[in-house]
Amino acid sequence: MAGPSETAQLKTEAMVQAALAPSDYLVVAPVVVCLLFGAMLLMIRKRIDWHPVLAIPGFFLVLLVDVLLLLKVAAEGPQTMMMGGWKAPFGIAFTVDMLGALFVTASGFVAFAAAIYASVSINRTERRYGFFPFLFLMMGGVSGAFLTGDVFNLYVWFEVLLIGSFGLLILGSEHEQLDGATKYCFLNLVATTLFLITTGYLYGLFGTLNMADIAEKAGGFENDGALLTIVVLFLVAFSAKAAAFPLNFWLPASYHTPRFVVSALFAGLLTKVGVYALIRIVLMLFPPQHAELAPLIAWVAALTMLVGAFGALAQSDLRRLLNYFVVAGIGTIFAGLALVGGEGAPDAGSLANAARAATADGAPDVVAGAAAPLLPATGNLVVGLSGAVFYALHSIVVMTALYLAAGTAARIAGSSSLRDMGGLWRGKPALAALMLVFLFAVSGLPPFSGFWPKVVLVRGAFQAGLPWLGAVILFTGFLMTVASARIFALAFWRNAPEPAVAGARGGSFDPEGEASPALSMTPLLILAVFIVAAGVLPQWLATLTDIAARGVVDPAAYLGSVFGGAS
């Protein structure tokens, strides 16, 4: 039995002794704020008139703490907060680096815009059914997934966001919604089960689920076959959640069924959580295995882009068409992940091993938010990942904006079918101008946010010896431009159909409540500011995505935050 001195020694070794500064709580603040506001709205569930009045400031507060967290990471490097005061790997870690900070800030930005839109488009009945509490619950899960440093808790936050998304998906209990929810739930049940099984396998091999601890131990693990099996299983699970080929069939079958504002957040955020998990676990923890699978990821990326682009051309309903834009965007992101293993890049395994060796004697130096490079983190290894992160952030914003603009257009036209829409350019020129900006951006045309990451990815593909992948990126961009031109020509530019036709609610029309024109346009303007700023002045975002990519490739600062400098 341990004596008092031995007990004190064990406590010193296992427990965090340093006092927390107020700024340390920023690491968990996005999750806490979401869950607190969701609980508060449940407590006043009978005062539904108060829900939008409280929800908009609540999401503004979420965005504020997200931005403060991003600034803290940019200034000081990765941040870690251990739950219960236990040191890693005993305690549950919340760890955020530049990658997580960028994703969580983008999610808070689009959630704030969507909350403004929902305040005027979600009717009283849907508020009574819990729209805003479900929205806060989903955003709490999304934020938790971007901030956690533990694989099992990544699974837990996936479950939290899925619970919130299920509630939002069936809001209204219409037949079409229930049909879409069935497909959505079944696929996510399969993917989540595979994720949980693989997590159990991972724990059986390493005896830990702390991401930093796994990254340290993976370099010396001798059973490469077991590691490759784990990586393949994670790749399948996260590809299903991200809607990558051939597991993308569920998204076009379900995302057109809920309200437009719900579809906007689903399209902007939920698939990107799968992409983030893939980057965090497969690329950061198992770089040699990822390098082996890079050719497979390249083919998955190409086929996903082609399915999305050709699927968009085949649609006559606006929201179904946008669903395929989401799929094509996921393929473009996957193309960047495939370039990480391209020719001419530094060896991923050597970079990870160097990072582990550097952290053996203490935490690495952190300069201006970036890990001090242990080996030259140049070439396609960083370029591809930086382009993929840039495009993912662009896609979060532009897909949210497109669905919100489409919802406003469908409400005015009385239908979301392109056959029944028209004349919006003359009747709503401001809406038409914003829609044109969003369509240019999603097609990858200058001077908007989608242009620069595609330039980076195409150049990286040719430098990596994958010219065919660069050609696919360009070709699908052309097809999406054609589909975008078709949207604008039919829904906005041509003359309005006959009144009898215009009043018909064909397609997947979304019967949202009457909206104030000013409030309906406000979130579109907010999102358009980012799209234009990231296109006209891309360097600020490119610098941040480059820091994020280097932090994944060379995780020394991440490991040092968990083991050497955790609060």
Side-chain angles (χ1 to χ4, degrees):
M1 184 174 181
S5 60
E6 294 176 346
T7 302
Q9 178 65 25
L10 290 173
K11 184 177 179 180
T12 301
E13 294 176 355
M15 300 292 290
V16 177
Q17 302 298 313
L20 289 173
S23 61
D24 293 331
Y25 290 96
L26 283 173
V27 179
V28 296
V31 177
V32 172
V33 173
C34 285
L35 297 183
L36 284 178
F37 269 87
M40 181 172 61
L41 292 178
L42 280 178
M43 290 189 288
I44 58 170
R45 59 187 177 277
K46 295 183 179 180
R47 305 300 300 268
I48 57 175
D49 291 338
W50 292 9
H51 282 204
V53 177
L54 293 173
I56 294 175
F59 279 111
F60 180 77
L61 181 59
V62 172
L63 176 58
L64 178 62
V65 296
D66 289 340
V67 172
L68 292 175
L69 180 59
L70 175 63
L71 294 175
K72 184 176 177 64
V73 171
E76 302 176 14
Q79 304 291 310
T80 295
M81 186 175 186
M82 302 301 303
M83 299 297 101
W86 292 96
K87 290 183 180 179
F90 307 109
I92 297 172
F94 268 70
T95 303
V96 56
D97 58 359
M98 184 57 73
L99 179 69
L102 285 172
F103 272 89
V104 79
T105 303
S107 67
F109 179 60
V110 298
F112 173 61
I116 298 174
Y117 188 92
S119 68
V120 293
S121 67
I122 297 298
N123 60 41
R124 292 177 61 84
T125 301
E126 290 158 348
R127 293 180 195 174
R128 186 177 294 111
Y129 287 157
F131 174 85
F132 287 104
F134 277 129
L135 185 57
F136 273 109
L137 179 64
M138 187 187 79
M139 290 308 304
V142 169
S143 300
F146 291 148
L147 299 175
T148 186
D150 183 272
V151 178
F152 181 76
N153 277 271
L154 178 62
Y155 162 79
V156 170
W157 291 118
F158 263 112
E159 292 296 295
V160 172
L161 73 89
L162 286 175
I163 292 171
S165 66
F166 291 159
L168 294 172
L169 190 61
I170 63 172
L171 206 65
S173 301
E174 297 171 5
H175 175 76
E176 189 178 40
Q177 289 177 311
L178 297 177
D179 179 66
T182 301
K183 299 167 185 175
Y184 176 85
C185 294
F186 176 77
L187 187 282
N188 276 282
L189 176 64
V190 173
T192 302
T193 302
L194 181 59
F195 182 13
L196 183 60
I197 292 172
T198 310
T199 301
Y201 189 9
L202 184 69
Y203 183 75
L205 286 177
F206 289 95
T208 180
L209 292 175
N210 181 281
M211 294 181 188
D213 201 26
I214 294 171
E216 278 198 324
K217 293 179 178 178
F221 199 80
E222 297 180 356
N223 192 345
D224 291 337
L227 292 186
L228 187 60
T229 300
I230 285 177
V231 172
V232 170
L233 292 175
F234 275 131
L235 179 62
V236 173
F238 297 142
S239 296
K241 289 185 174 293
F245 182 87
L247 302 171
N248 58 281
F249 57 88
W250 62 271
L251 191 152
S254 60
Y255 272 22
H256 66 284
T257 59
R259 300 294 180 253
F260 268 99
V261 65
V262 175
S263 296
L265 285 174
F266 281 18
L269 290 178
L270 297 194
T271 52
K272 309 311 183 297
V273 179
V275 168
Y276 172 84
L278 183 63
I279 295 172
R280 179 64 71 200
I281 292 183
V282 175
L283 273 74
M284 191 179 84
L285 304 189
F286 306 107
Q289 288 71 32
H290 167 258
E292 292 183 49
L293 295 174
L296 173 63
I297 297 174
W299 281 104
V300 170
L303 292 172
T304 305
M305 284 187 283
L306 291 171
V307 167
F310 280 113
L313 289 174
Q315 301 305 310
S316 60
D317 181 85
L318 178 56
R319 189 151 48 154
R320 289 178 182 270
L321 191 156
L322 295 181
N323 290 346
Y324 282 96
F325 275 1
V326 178
V327 174
I330 292 299
T332 306
I333 298 169
F334 269 58
L337 307 187
L339 301 185
V340 175
E343 298 173 3
D347 178 69
S350 64
L351 282 169
N353 290 332
R356 283 189 288 270
T359 55
D361 298 325
D365 293 332
V366 175
V367 180
L374 305 171
L375 288 175
T378 58
N380 298 305
L381 190 62
V382 169
V383 170
L385 184 54
S386 180
V389 173
F390 195 132
Y391 194 88
L393 299 174
H394 145 81
S395 183
I396 288 173
V397 177
V398 78
M399 290 313 306
T400 304
L402 273 171
Y403 276 89
L404 296 184
T408 302
R411 182 169 51 249
I412 295 169
S415 172
S416 64
S417 172
L418 293 176
R419 299 188 183 96
D420 301 334
M421 302 176 75
L424 293 175
W425 174 261
R426 294 174 179 83
K428 300 290 180 181
L431 174 63
L434 287 172
M435 189 63 154
L436 190 60
V437 169
F438 302 151
L439 291 173
F440 268 62
V442 79
S443 301
L445 299 177
F448 303 108
S449 58
F451 175 70
W452 298 108
K454 282 198 173 184
V455 169
V456 171
L457 292 174
V458 170
R459 184 180 64 182
F462 280 89
Q463 291 176 347
L466 299 172
W468 62 271
L469 185 59
V472 171
I473 296 173
L474 294 173
F475 179 62
T476 54
F478 169 74
L479 295 181
M480 291 176 70
T481 303
V482 173
S484 297
R486 184 164 168 263
I487 290 174
F488 196 80
L490 295 179
F492 291 86
W493 189 254
R494 70 171 179 171
N495 293 329
E498 294 297 324
V501 177
R505 294 191 173 188
S508 59
F509 174 69
D510 184 6
E512 295 178 345
E514 292 299 324
S516 164
L519 280 178
S520 294
M521 295 297 293
T522 298
L524 302 183
L525 290 170
I526 292 172
L527 297 172
V529 168
F530 171 87
I531 293 169
V532 174
V536 176
L537 300 171
Q539 191 58 43
W540 61 275
L541 185 57
T543 300
L544 295 177
T545 58
D546 184 70
I547 293 173
R550 292 174 184 272
V552 172
V553 172
D554 179 3
Y558 186 95
L559 302 183
S561 173
V562 175
F563 292 113
S567 297

